[in-house]
Amino acid sequence: MVNVTEKLIEYRMVRHSAASEASSYLTNHTAEVSLCFPNPIVCQMMRGHKIMRVNGSKPFDFLPGEAMLVAPGMPLEILFPEASPEDPTECICIEIDRSQVDEIVERVNQGQKRLGLGGRFSLDWTRFAVFRKDLAILGQMNRLMTLYRDEKSPFRDVLVDLGHEELVLRILQAQSRELLVEQRTFSPTTGLDVAAEMLRDNPRKRYAIEELAQIACMSEATFFRRFKARFGVTPAKFANDCRIHRARALLATAPVAEVAFDLGFASVEHFSRLFRQVTGETPGGIRKRLRPDVRAYIQ
């Protein structure tokens, strides 16, 4: 079933499955919108630019190539600074029943226990998470939207449920990285966690795979395979993400070249290319946005 809802400045198309719904939003005028959902939602920007505040957070940009997980009941305040009929803002949003998400996470933890692995996966329902250029999450969102549109297939609802499972798994992997990359309070419980924390805490150092495997008390092949299964990326990609995350913070107070060499990059060009691949923005653009406007202090 498809519902199309037209508001003053926003068009919403809704597609329902047995236990969830997917929406596409098209906004064609500058505006401010407030929303709140009773279940977890995963949103993906398709085009345009939003400025978001989630659960009272500081405002942040939400751009194409980014996805976001928002916990149930969290208020969203959305500003559309550039939307127009000629250049509308578009995003897609999938709302999943909370009980279905909890069931998927518990099944993962049962698998962890069965394999004798320490620690438990969980989604932190006290916060939201933004995933930048995470191709696994973006790809799964697009696959799910394709499934939602196939309303004549007798297998549709089952395939949608399976698609939700993969999306939640991708988010679990990404959030495991975020717990480390964003330096949240975290106590490592496995050799993989210890190795990942070493990469996070020492972004200037280049670790060899054999060194990381020794830290995790595994063979190189086993470490590489289990690290990618746990965090969804290779150790090298994880290390680069840590460096870029640290760079974002440093760019507020230091020039691009200084940040690049401080984090061990051989050239500013290599740093800038990798930074743009990960964030979708240039270091210079980030620096310009993060630096305070000195004109505000001139009386």
Side-chain angles (χ1 to χ4, degrees):
M1 178 181 180
V2 179
N3 292 338
V4 180
T5 303
E6 181 176 346
K7 299 182 180 180
L8 291 176
I9 51 91
E10 187 172 43
Y11 297 86
R12 180 190 182 205
M13 180 174 288
V14 187
R15 290 178 168 85
H16 298 278
S17 72
S20 61
E21 68 178 40
S23 303
S24 58
Y25 294 86
L26 192 71
T27 307
N28 55 22
H29 286 84
T30 58
E32 293 186 41
V33 176
S34 297
L35 297 172
C36 189
F37 294 84
N39 287 302
I41 60 167
V42 186
C43 299
Q44 177 183 339
M45 277 293 289
M46 306 303 291
R47 57 175 168 162
H49 173 209
K50 293 182 181 181
I51 299 175
M52 307 285 295
R53 284 171 57 92
V54 182
N55 203 33
S57 71
K58 293 181 180 179
F60 61 92
D61 294 322
F62 193 38
L63 302 169
E66 298 181 345
M68 178 167 53
L69 170 70
V70 179
M74 282 190 173
L76 291 86
E77 300 172 39
I78 309 169
L79 175 65
F80 300 87
E82 303 164 359
S84 68
E86 297 76 23
D87 189 16
T89 297
E90 182 181 7
C91 74
I92 57 177
C93 179
I94 294 176
E95 182 176 357
I96 310 176
D97 185 84
R98 167 69 184 271
S99 61
Q100 184 183 31
V101 176
D102 289 339
E103 180 183 345
I104 295 168
V105 174
E106 183 56 33
R107 284 167 56 193
V108 172
N109 286 324
Q110 289 174 2
Q112 283 272 103
K113 185 177 180 180
R114 186 169 59 253
L115 294 172
L117 301 175
R120 287 176 58 85
F121 284 99
S122 64
L123 289 172
D124 187 349
W125 296 121
T126 66
R127 71 180 185 99
F128 65 96
V130 178
F131 308 107
R132 295 182 173 88
K133 302 293 181 180
D134 192 311
L135 298 182
I137 291 176
L138 298 178
Q140 187 59 21
M141 286 284 288
N142 291 327
R143 284 190 287 273
L144 267 167
M145 292 303 292
T146 299
L147 291 172
Y148 272 102
R149 295 186 187 102
D150 186 12
E151 298 180 341
K152 296 182 180 180
S153 170
F155 309 110
R156 173 179 175 267
D157 285 354
V158 175
L159 290 172
V160 165
D161 285 344
L162 292 173
H164 287 164
E165 291 189 10
E166 183 170 350
L167 180 61
V168 172
L169 294 177
R170 297 299 185 185
I171 289 172
L172 281 173
Q173 289 179 320
Q175 199 175 52
S176 292
R177 300 195 298 271
E178 292 293 312
L179 283 168
L180 291 163
V181 170
E182 295 189 7
Q183 302 189 39
R184 301 181 185 277
T185 302
F186 183 77
S187 298
T189 57
T190 70
L192 290 174
D193 294 328
V194 172
E197 196 168 62
M198 291 288 290
L199 292 172
R200 182 209 72 186
D201 290 341
N202 302 279
R204 297 170 178 84
K205 184 172 180 179
R206 266 49 176 179
Y207 287 94
I209 191 70
E210 56 266 27
E211 188 175 0
L212 293 171
Q214 288 176 0
I215 291 171
C217 300
M218 300 175 187
S219 70
E220 293 178 31
T222 298
F223 170 76
F224 188 90
R225 184 177 67 254
R226 290 188 178 178
F227 191 100
K228 189 172 182 180
R230 172 68 184 275
F231 297 109
V233 295
T234 65
K237 176 68 165 60
F238 185 95
N240 279 333
D241 287 347
C242 291
R243 293 184 191 105
I244 297 305
H245 184 270
R246 181 69 61 88
R248 287 176 67 94
L250 295 174
L251 284 168
T253 57
V256 173
E258 181 179 324
V259 172
F261 294 125
D262 185 48
L263 291 175
F265 288 93
S267 69
V268 175
E269 291 74 18
H270 178 212
F271 166 67
S272 298
R273 185 168 58 252
L274 181 62
F275 191 97
R276 187 164 189 170
Q277 287 174 357
V278 174
T279 68
E281 299 181 78
T282 65
I286 288 282
R287 177 165 165 75
K288 183 177 180 180
R289 184 155 54 84
L290 292 179
R291 291 183 68 192
D293 188 346
V294 296
R295 292 171 298 178
Y297 300 96
I298 300 176
Q299 302 297 324

